[in-house]
Amino acid sequence: MSQRHTDVTVQAIEEACPLVEVLDHVSGKWSIGIIVAAAHGPIRFTELERAVSGISRRMLTLTLRRLERDGLLHRTVYPTVPPKVEYTLTDMARELHATLSALTDWAERHRSAIAAARKDYDADAAVNTA
Amino acid sequence: MSQRHTDVTVQAIEEACPLVEVLDHVSGKWSIGIIVAAAHGPIRFTELERAVSGISRRMLTLTLRRLERDGLLHRTVYPTVPPKVEYTLTDMARELHATLSALTDWAERHRSAIAAARKDYDADAAVNTA
DNA sequence: CTGGATCCAAAACGATACTG
DNA sequence: CAGTATCGTTTTGGATCCAG
């Protein structure tokens, strides 16, 4: 910790790359919400639409396709009428969900700290503008 | 696991919200890269520009401001000439960085699985289009 | 019910010239 | 060195209508 930089920077970017990949797949406001919503069992399209508050039909579809494509979701179509489709997390995604809980914990531990930091920052900005 | 949905969906969204907040602050192609780059000690603007490969001056500045605003980065200005500015992770951000490593691990464990899933998905798509 | 297709607004991003 | 300002491009997302 707190040692000087030389060419360790190169190591830094290599360390970051896989993570950037993950977040590219998992990012987009909605992926996480969907994973969490699907975490405790098979869930249908309309249920997801209600569970992930604020999502539009379009974004739901797009995100579902991306998650399916990345092997995080499994899609089961029941050829009934009306149609019924269930989405289930893959094992891979279930591991991911467990990992994400660590992030949730972090978020909850520091939620108020972040809010406070913002408030301070904005206050400073107001002073410097006045 | 694999129980039916009733009104547990409500719980799902509440569980997701804080996490969505985090990712809103930490998201954007560059935040993570910057956090990783700053993780092993104070780092200067130009060093960051080189460490986070592909980032533009503009995005670097914008992302730095946001991270600072959210209390993840501390900015130290040395009023010398030429100017010198150092960015340091806050304690909060260091915790976050540790948490992110879990994600990195997950990504590396499943990198090839994701690639394979994609390949299959694209193959299917090709068949269904033909 | 599940979702594809289209159109449009907004946000994120990139390049680059300029400044204290 | 460490940014800011401006412009153009790309990506993202919402609204809506249509279809199996």
Side-chain angles (χ1 to χ4, degrees):
Chain A
M1 217 61 89
S2 80
Q3 61 206 341
R4 209 65 290 260
H5 286 269
T6 49
D7 56 5
V8 249
T9 48
V10 180
Q11 181 193 339
I13 73 164
E14 283 174 3
E15 191 183 342
C17 282
L19 224 176
V20 167
E21 264 183 54
V22 187
L23 289 211
D24 274 5
H25 302 159
V26 157
S27 89
K29 260 170 157 172
W30 307 113
S31 309
I32 309 273
I34 290 177
I35 290 177
V36 172
H40 49 79
I43 187 169
R44 299 182 55 175
F45 189 87
T46 314
E47 290 176 323
L48 277 170
E49 200 173 355
R50 279 193 300 267
V52 182
S53 77
I55 196 170
S56 66
R57 247 192 198 67
R58 182 181 129 91
M59 276 304 108
L60 180 54
T61 304
L62 287 180
T63 311
L64 286 173
R65 292 291 166 275
R66 239 178 60 182
L67 293 174
E68 190 193 351
R69 177 191 150 116
D70 289 346
L72 295 174
L73 276 185
H74 182 237
R75 180 163 172 266
T76 314
V77 183
Y78 299 91
T80 59
V81 42
K84 174 178 170 182
V85 178
E86 278 188 345
Y87 292 90
T88 319
L89 291 193
T90 61
D91 293 352
M92 202 163 78
R94 256 187 284 274
E95 276 186 49
L96 176 60
H97 177 244
T99 300
L100 289 177
S101 322
L103 269 194
T104 318
D105 291 350
W106 181 90
E108 263 161 13
R109 279 204 309 277
H110 296 287
R111 182 210 288 277
S112 61
I114 292 181
R118 287 217 190 188
K119 199 165 144 280
D120 288 1
Y121 189 94
D122 290 350
D124 277 14
V127 169
N128 296 340
T129 310
Chain B
M1 217 64 86
S2 79
Q3 61 207 340
R4 209 63 291 261
H5 285 270
T6 49
D7 56 5
V8 250
T9 48
V10 180
Q11 181 193 338
I13 72 164
E14 284 174 2
E15 194 183 342
C17 281
L19 225 176
V20 166
E21 264 183 52
V22 188
L23 288 212
D24 273 5
H25 302 160
V26 156
S27 89
K29 259 168 152 176
W30 306 114
S31 309
I32 310 272
I34 289 177
I35 290 177
V36 172
H40 49 77
I43 187 169
R44 300 182 55 174
F45 188 88
T46 314
E47 291 177 322
L48 277 170
E49 199 171 357
R50 279 193 300 268
V52 182
S53 78
I55 196 171
S56 66
R57 245 191 199 66
R58 183 181 127 89
M59 275 305 109
L60 180 54
T61 303
L62 286 180
T63 311
L64 285 173
R65 291 289 169 276
R66 238 177 62 180
L67 291 175
E68 190 193 352
R69 175 192 151 118
D70 289 346
L72 295 173
L73 276 184
H74 183 238
R75 180 163 172 267
T76 315
V77 183
Y78 298 91
T80 58
V81 43
K84 175 177 169 180
V85 178
E86 277 188 345
Y87 292 91
T88 319
L89 292 192
T90 61
D91 292 351
M92 200 163 80
R94 255 187 285 274
E95 276 185 48
L96 175 60
H97 177 245
T99 300
L100 290 177
S101 324
L103 270 194
T104 318
D105 292 350
W106 181 90
E108 263 162 13
R109 279 203 309 278
H110 296 287
R111 182 210 288 277
S112 61
I114 291 181
R118 288 216 190 190
K119 198 163 142 281
D120 288 2
Y121 188 93
D122 290 349
D124 277 16
V127 169
N128 296 341
T129 310

